[in-house]
């Protein structure tokens, strides 16, 4: 929000920008040149993600830059940082990618919703494939095609979202990890580190503010 940042990757080198959209499971390093940043984790199965991708003006599938509403996003981000209003968060989200009909396979969209809504006990690919009327192999192929990541990684992402929701509701980290379906707090910590590049306790120590919007607003 205060300044630009640099994205570094093994395949793309380094590039400085004010807005970037990074695909799931694409390893990268972010270097901030200001004090504050907004990170918006768009669900890979959502229409918002597809609209946001179309609004970026440069780059490729893995890494895109230059949102068409960049100046407005920067200004709204500064207001968002100083407000607890859900309406302000939705306004920022609509600027990034307003909800529009997408081309998501309805069976995969429903499976993704099941995973987000029921993370403990963990749902298997076999169970969700049967609900969708598909063979497991066909289901897994379609899921990767439409979500941009594997079923297993998306299921882990859904559990991470559950931890975030519990933390925003004032649960402690240990309780949140167990309730979200992780075998132990250390299992959650290792999974979080592998996904985000740092320990969750370190992230929380810097005073990060977590905003989770209702699933209906993220679709």
């Amino acid at each position: 929000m205060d300044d630009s940042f640099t994205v570094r990757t093994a395949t793309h080198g380094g590039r400085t920008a004010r807005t970037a959209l990074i695909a799931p499971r694409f390893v990268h390093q972010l270097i901030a040149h200001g004090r504050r940043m907004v990170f918006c984790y768009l669900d890979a199965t959502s229409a918002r993600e597809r609209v946001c991708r179309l609004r970026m003006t440069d780059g490729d599938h893995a890494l895109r830059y230059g949102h068409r509403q960049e100046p407005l996003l920067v200004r709204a981000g500064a207001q968002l940082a100083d407000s607890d209003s859900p309406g302000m968060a939705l306004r920022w989200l609509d600027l990034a990618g307003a909800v529009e009909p997408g081309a998501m396979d309805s069976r995969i969209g429903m499976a993704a919703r099941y995973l987000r809504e029921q993370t403990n006990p963990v749902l298997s690919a076999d169970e969700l494939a049967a609900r969708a009327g598909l063979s497991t192999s066909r289901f897994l192929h379609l899921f990767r095609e439409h979500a941009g990541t594997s079923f297993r990684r998306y299921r882990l992402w859904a559990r991470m979202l559950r931890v975030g929701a519990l933390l925003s509701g004032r649960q402690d980290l240990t309780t949140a990890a167990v309730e979200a379906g992780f075998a132990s707090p250390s299992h959650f910590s290792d999974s979080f580190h592998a996904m985000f590049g740092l320990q969750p306790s370190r992230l929380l120590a810097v005073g990060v503010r977590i905003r989770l919007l209702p699933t209906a607003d993220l679709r």
Side-chain angles (χ1 to χ4, degrees):
M1 291 180 285
D2 311 305
D3 204 339
S4 59
F5 57 90
T6 298
V7 186
R8 287 184 180 170
T9 74
T11 56
H12 291 63
R15 176 163 171 175
T16 299
R18 289 303 299 266
T19 54
L21 180 64
I22 303 166
R25 303 187 70 179
F26 187 65
V27 178
H28 59 280
Q29 178 188 27
L30 294 176
I31 302 169
H33 304 302
R35 292 189 310 107
R36 302 183 301 174
M37 294 183 71
V38 173
F39 295 85
C40 180
Y41 293 93
L42 293 166
D43 193 290
T45 65
S46 69
R48 284 193 187 276
E49 194 277 345
R50 290 188 290 280
V51 172
C52 184
R53 185 169 296 280
L54 291 172
R55 291 183 180 180
M56 307 305 287
T57 59
D58 194 14
D60 57 23
H61 177 76
L63 189 54
R64 297 192 61 76
Y65 298 96
H67 196 284
R68 291 175 186 167
Q69 302 281 7
E70 188 172 278
L72 293 177
L73 282 170
V74 171
R75 289 199 295 271
Q79 297 171 344
L80 175 61
D82 299 322
S83 170
D84 290 321
S85 167
M88 188 67 71
L90 272 175
R91 177 172 175 263
W92 193 95
L93 194 59
D94 281 339
L95 284 171
V99 174
E100 294 180 10
M104 170 66 62
D105 185 297
S106 60
R107 297 165 296 184
I108 301 305
M110 184 169 292
R113 193 183 78 232
Y114 282 142
L115 289 174
R116 293 193 301 269
E117 293 176 351
Q118 184 179 349
T119 54
N120 191 16
V122 176
L123 291 167
S124 70
D126 290 341
E127 291 176 278
L128 291 175
R131 293 188 189 191
L134 297 166
S135 68
T136 301
S137 60
R138 179 59 179 162
F139 171 77
L140 291 175
H141 175 80
L142 280 175
F143 198 98
R144 180 180 286 277
E145 178 183 332
H146 285 271
T149 189
S150 69
F151 172 82
R152 183 178 65 84
R153 293 293 295 181
Y154 187 89
R155 184 173 61 186
L156 178 61
W157 166 246
R159 291 158 72 191
M160 290 290 180
L161 288 178
R162 177 63 177 159
V163 173
L166 292 168
L167 288 176
S168 66
R170 308 304 183 190
Q171 286 274 25
D172 64 272
L173 192 58
T174 298
T175 302
V178 173
E179 288 191 13
F182 289 94
S184 65
S186 62
H187 177 215
F188 164 69
S189 184
D190 290 345
S191 299
F192 188 96
H193 185 272
M195 183 175 286
F196 296 104
L198 75 169
Q199 296 294 340
S201 55
R202 182 182 170 194
L203 179 64
L204 294 174
V206 302
V208 66
R209 301 175 70 181
I210 301 172
R211 307 285 183 83
L212 275 90
L213 296 174
T215 301
D217 294 321
L218 302 178
R219 64 186 185 277

